Amino acid sequence: MHSKPYDRIAVVGAGAWGTALASVAAAAGRQVRLFGRDSDVVRAINNQHENPAYLSGVPLPESLTATNQLSEALTGADAVLMVVPSGAVRPVAADLRAFLPPATPVAVCTKGIEPTTGLLMSQVAAEELGDVPVGTISGPTFARETALGHPTAATVAFDFSHTDRLAPDESPAARLAVSMSTAYFKTYISDDLVGVEIGGAIKNVIAIGCGMMTGAGFAENTRAALITRGMDEMKALAEALGGRRETVTGLAGAGDLTLTCSSQTSRNMSLGVQLGQGIPRRACFDGRPVVVEGEANAASIIDLARRVGVSMPICETVHAILHGGADLSHAFGDLWTRPIEAEPRALDISLRNPAQPKLRQLQGRQQ
């Protein structure tokens, strides 16, 4: 079975991840135009083949061209990757609509849930873009490593129409997966857009929690427990929204969760570590105004989970610390002394936990 790649790809957003994806597409032989608002960044990409603001020291393909004119980036595009912060997805999608060629697929490569509406990023974009296929590219991917050519894998997900199921090799997911494939960037295809996006949104919140515990002095056992039980929270919310639990065990769920919870290259993990060390939020990142997607998404995820009746105790704990003024030691102590439950969930047991919250006394143990 063969699939025809998209020849011309527009990437909207010249931050680290947008630049990395544009670099991958260009390396795969596609004609790529990268849109960015910063004229200095656009000039550097075109003249120096580098993005000094977001990926300094990383060489970019000479065939990659950048522009600060959205119409120029989208003219003649066969597919579009939208790579902007979650809060910008709606207005940028609205701007795209005026220049987007008919029926052109759009992959929203942004992770999160919109506040107030509870919509996933693809759903937000779809409301603004109208009748075009909307999907995502997601997985365990640090931008710098991807752009440097370290072997990386990601999932390309779109909802499949009836026509897509009859000819899956001609589906937007398959064609975009082929378009982005290189010797070092391996793609997988999914028809479970909800499951893929839920994994990408929740992992940032769990990573903040793992960082908090690491910063507070706890060791690998603690992080492994949070990762595993956090993945169960992902599964529960994905299933409640129509996704599949099995999707969450793949690259966009377990893979992305493991990566983000294991390295301070992740801003989410890094924020958690600093907060766990007792650094006030305003002083984190040396006082620089660093955007941490999981910080804002903690509120929107909990709001959505409460609407659909899904219990997410780890995310609730992180949310309470970030946005409710909860004491970190007490909040995680309460988490660890919740009722004793079963694995798997089918074994319906909930027992009173005789333990008392003692995490504060445990801080600083040998790792």
Side-chain angles (χ1 to χ4, degrees), residues 46-367:
N46 289 333
N47 298 336
Q48 303 165 29
H49 310 296
E50 181 184 343
N51 186 334
Y54 297 100
L55 286 177
S56 61
V58 177
L60 301 175
E62 293 187 10
S63 62
L64 171 60
T65 61
T67 176
N68 57 12
Q69 298 297 316
L70 190 58
S71 59
E72 182 181 354
L74 293 176
T75 298
D78 299 316
V80 178
L81 310 184
M82 194 164 74
V83 200
V84 298
S86 58
V89 167
R90 188 174 290 279
V92 171
D95 290 342
L96 253 64
R97 185 167 184 170
F99 308 109
L100 191 67
T104 302
V106 177
V108 185
C109 308
T110 304
K111 300 167 183 178
I113 295 172
E114 187 178 50
T116 68
T117 67
L119 295 176
L120 300 170
M121 293 294 101
S122 68
Q123 295 168 334
V124 172
E127 282 195 345
E128 301 297 331
L129 292 172
D131 190 21
V132 300
V134 179
T136 191
I137 299 175
S138 187
T141 51
F142 286 145
R144 176 171 290 272
E145 293 184 15
T146 302
L148 284 171
H150 293 286
T152 298
T155 299
V156 181
F158 281 76
D159 288 332
F160 272 45
S161 66
H162 177 67
T163 301
D164 293 334
R165 299 199 182 281
L166 292 176
D169 56 313
E170 298 177 13
S171 67
R175 293 189 64 187
L176 188 57
V178 169
S179 304
M180 298 295 293
S181 292
T182 72
Y184 66 87
F185 193 81
K186 181 168 178 55
T187 55
Y188 290 80
I189 299 165
S190 176
D191 64 346
D192 183 10
L193 183 55
V194 168
V196 167
E197 286 197 272
I198 284 295
I202 296 176
K203 61 95 181 181
N204 286 331
V205 180
I206 303 299
I208 293 175
C210 286
M212 287 174 173
M213 297 301 278
T214 298
F218 295 97
E220 302 304 317
N221 288 0
T222 312
R223 184 168 58 86
L226 289 174
I227 289 173
T228 308
R229 295 308 303 169
M231 189 162 65
D232 193 72
E233 294 185 13
M234 285 183 178
K235 291 178 181 178
L237 187 58
E239 187 175 43
L241 296 173
R244 297 195 293 271
R245 292 176 68 87
E246 67 187 67
T247 300
V248 178
T249 65
L251 287 169
D256 206 357
L257 180 66
T258 302
L259 178 68
T260 310
C261 294
S262 302
S263 171
Q264 291 192 56
T265 299
S266 160
R267 288 173 293 179
N268 295 282
M269 177 76 170
S270 180
L271 173 64
V273 168
Q274 293 171 81
L275 294 174
Q277 292 171 339
I279 299 173
R281 177 61 183 97
R282 64 183 178 278
C284 290
F285 303 104
D286 297 324
R288 291 178 288 114
V290 175
V291 176
V292 180
E293 292 283 10
E295 188 173 18
N297 277 313
S300 52
I301 286 166
I302 290 306
D303 181 59
L304 177 59
R306 289 171 180 171
R307 291 189 204 184
V308 297
V310 173
S311 174
M312 302 182 71
I314 297 174
C315 290
E316 286 273 11
T317 299
V318 175
H319 174 262
I321 296 167
L322 291 176
H323 303 295
D327 176 80
L328 188 148
S329 298
H330 290 162
F332 277 101
D334 290 342
L335 177 66
W336 241 255
T337 54
R338 282 172 49 81
I340 297 170
E341 299 170 303
E343 278 193 343
R345 293 186 306 158
L347 183 61
D348 188 14
I349 295 177
S350 180
L351 305 175
R352 180 183 175 276
N353 192 333
Q356 296 297 317
K358 296 180 180 178
L359 247 58
R360 174 174 291 177
Q361 287 78 11
L362 293 177
Q363 289 184 15
R365 281 194 170 185
Q366 291 291 326
Q367 297 191 21

